[in-house]
Amino acid sequence: MAHITFWFDFASTYSYLAAMRVADVAEQRGVGVKWQPFLLGPIFGAQGWTDSPFNIYEAKGKYMWRDMARLADVLDVPFKRPATFPQNSLLAGRVACVGQDDGWVADFTRATYTAQFGRGQDISTAEDLTPILTSLDLDAADILARATSSDGKLALRAGTDAAISAGVFGAPSFTTHDGELFWGSDRLEEAVDWAATHAA
């Protein structure tokens, strides 16, 4: 089956928009989706950035927040700017890695993005993530313990290393089985079409 890898960091605004529609867009073309969390921090750090470029460049940040509001309205998804941006996405990313193994990564990712950018909530701590996991009928205590274990930490680190190896430099990004890279929520359809028409 043709597939794409959806690379996302929970700190990424536009990844929220992609997460809310990637499954439907891919399903319409018969393309599978691998949900792959990673961390932008090491990638930005290699470029000399210590903060989100949307904070570093004021005009770019102002545009992004307005653009997010417009696009959320078009996609009919909720949008509320959180008080803190970017949030620490480390724990949420580790939890998502647990979800990869257990099969609930997509549901958790959508729920966490909705909490953060749909309702403006914090998602950086165990206390923030517990109600999200509970709302999905998941054992929050067990999952958080697994996410913060040595294996849980290594899983997200491996995802970040894999992103770097794939040439990913921002989120959201999409890669296909033949190594094509597409960057940005607005390239989702292009990535899915490529995967569908270039299937091995």
Side-chain angles (χ1 to χ4, degrees), residues 21 33 38 83 102 108 145 150 176 180-181 199:
R21 63 195 190 95
V33 180
F38 76 105
D102 291 359
F108 171 76
S150 58
T176 60
E180 289 292 326
L181 171 65

Side-chain angles (χ1 to χ4, degrees), residues 129-152:
L129 297 178
T130 292
I132 296 173
L133 291 165
T134 301
S135 73
L136 299 172
D137 294 324
L138 298 169
D139 185 337
D142 174 68
I143 290 166
L144 289 165
R146 291 163 62 192
T148 53
S149 69
S150 58
D151 286 345

